[in-house]
Amino acid sequence: MARAVDPVGTAAGGWDTVRGRERQLQSDNGSGGPVEETPVDIIVVDDSPTQVEYLRRILLDAGYTVRTASGAEACLGSCRTSPPALILSDLVMPGISGLELVRAVRNDRELCDIPVILLTADHDPEHVIDALRAGAANYVSKPFVPEVLIQRIGWTLEAHGYARSPTPIPSGPGLFATLRSALEDAATRARELERSRAALAAAIRQRDELVAVVAHDLRTPLQVLQGHASLAARDGTGRILAGLAEVVNDQTATMVRLIDDLVDATQAESGVLQVQPQPIDLVKVIASCVVAMRHRWPNHPMTADGPASAMIHADGRRLAQVVTNLLDNAAKYSDAGSPIAVTVIERSDAVQVSIADRGIGIPKAQRQVIFERHGRTDAGRAKASGSGLGLFICRELIHLHGGTVTVEDNPPTGSRFVVTLPRDSGATRSG
Ligand code: ADP
């Protein structure tokens, strides 16, 4: 007599009868592999041809023979011609729904033994209960992973006498298979919930940290402005008033930078950060950044080395933002008086910019993390306030140019950030 394939690979072999009808079981061929003779026949019912094809492929790969039907009526017709071992049907279909199909099968004396598995829209318990109430043998929540689908089909067939379980089924086999499915779903849901809870807790921690940093970094320049304004108001000589414009300029620039970083980081995260490449002289861009940063960090000697010019196709404003952030960090994370060196090296197809400092350095283990959103080192946190957004934005901007940014040691102490940019990035926007 012909034997059915055990798609789950759990059957140990043998024969069984269910509700008086003899059914064929998997037999082990001694090598542990399935015996391929008469595969189990399944009808897949779904109004979506793509979904039908997807399910068909999964079932074929698992060793079943598959018939397909685009709706419940076609399925019932096919069943009457030749009853399948199992029906796998979508719950929601135009015309006759999956639930009505289950009822029709149950009420048909010829077909009532055929187990029906319904594909329900999500983990909604209402759907599952409706399906089981209507007489479905089991259910699979969408979206599903193919392994879960195959496992559910295996359990259901097993419960209907198509395979022998490695552990004996105690009683009420249909119920046992469904309970197993429900328990597995519950366990999956619990794992998903735990993962979401941990991710949410991390996001809340990051948000709190960001709020504290933003509050601090906005309050500090405001306090400086307030202090200078009140000094100027009390100063009869007008000397403080004369310097006030520069203080206002510097402090508001700091605040605007922070706000810009927040906007850029949000855009980078949603993939809409843009660059507008055009022919630029990178050396010129870097030189003007160095001038501005010498002004901002007068206690850090800054040197710049390289060719007289380096023409590339890139977004000059965005590259200035990157270089400024790297120079700012080099100063922020090193002591006053410690030098910062910028070097530009031209290659045939790319230009390399390195920014080296003699600061606190970055441990090897944290050289990836610092390019993540809010990624900071412990030493960095202890040394200076920061949002942890700058390098995240830098990396996105450099990637948009088709380039790379990495960090290495700068022996004997400090870090060296290396930005490599292709001469012609061809980039226009993130994606
Ligand atoms: P922020 O400086 O605002 O925190 P960044 O994204 O620019 O944000 O930098 C992320 C982290 O990387 C910093 O908090 C710091 O821990 C580390 N870091 C960046 N540049 C340097 C550097 N030159 N030397 C040492 N640590 C650095």
Side-chain angles (χ1 to χ4, degrees), residues 325-326 329-333 357 359-362 370 372 375-381 384-392 415 417:
N325 188 68
L326 295 179
N329 282 349
K332 203 161 84 170
Y333 298 109
D357 64 57
I360 59 172
I362 298 165
I370 56 166
E372 301 297 328
R376 304 199 70 198
T377 65
D378 294 338
R381 274 198 184 85
S385 145
S387 63
L389 293 176
L391 289 180
F392 170 65
S415 326
F417 282 82

Side-chain angles (χ1 to χ4, degrees), residues 321-331 340 353 355 357 371 391 394 405 417-419:
Q321 180 181 349
V322 170
V323 173
T324 300
N325 188 68
L326 295 179
L327 286 172
D328 215 22
N329 282 349
I340 296 165
V353 183
I355 294 174
D357 64 57
F371 291 103
L391 289 180
C394 286
V405 52
F417 282 82
V418 180
V419 175

Side-chain angles (χ1 to χ4, degrees), residues 43-47 68-80 84 86-108 111-119 130-131 133-137:
I43 300 187
V44 171
V45 196
D46 201 308
D47 59 302
T68 62
S70 58
E73 268 174 61
C75 167
L76 289 169
S78 186
C79 286
R80 285 187 188 111
L86 183 140
I87 298 169
L88 175 65
S89 170
D90 198 14
L91 175 69
V92 181
M93 293 186 291
I96 303 177
S97 74
L99 282 186
E100 286 160 335
L101 171 64
V102 172
R103 288 190 193 109
V105 170
R106 288 286 150 271
N107 292 332
D108 188 311
L111 309 180
C112 62
D113 279 348
I114 303 169
V116 183
I117 296 184
L118 283 182
L119 290 163
D130 283 352
R133 241 190 220 140

Side-chain angles (χ1 to χ4, degrees), residues 221-235 237-253 255 295:
L222 283 173
Q223 281 169 339
V224 173
L225 288 174
Q226 210 174 25
H228 275 76
S230 68
L231 276 179
R234 279 184 273 127
D235 173 38
T237 66
R239 205 162 40 82
I240 300 222
L241 193 61
L244 194 58
E246 199 174 343
V247 175
V248 169
N249 196 30
D250 282 355
Q251 300 304 318
T252 49
M255 291 191 283
H295 177 74

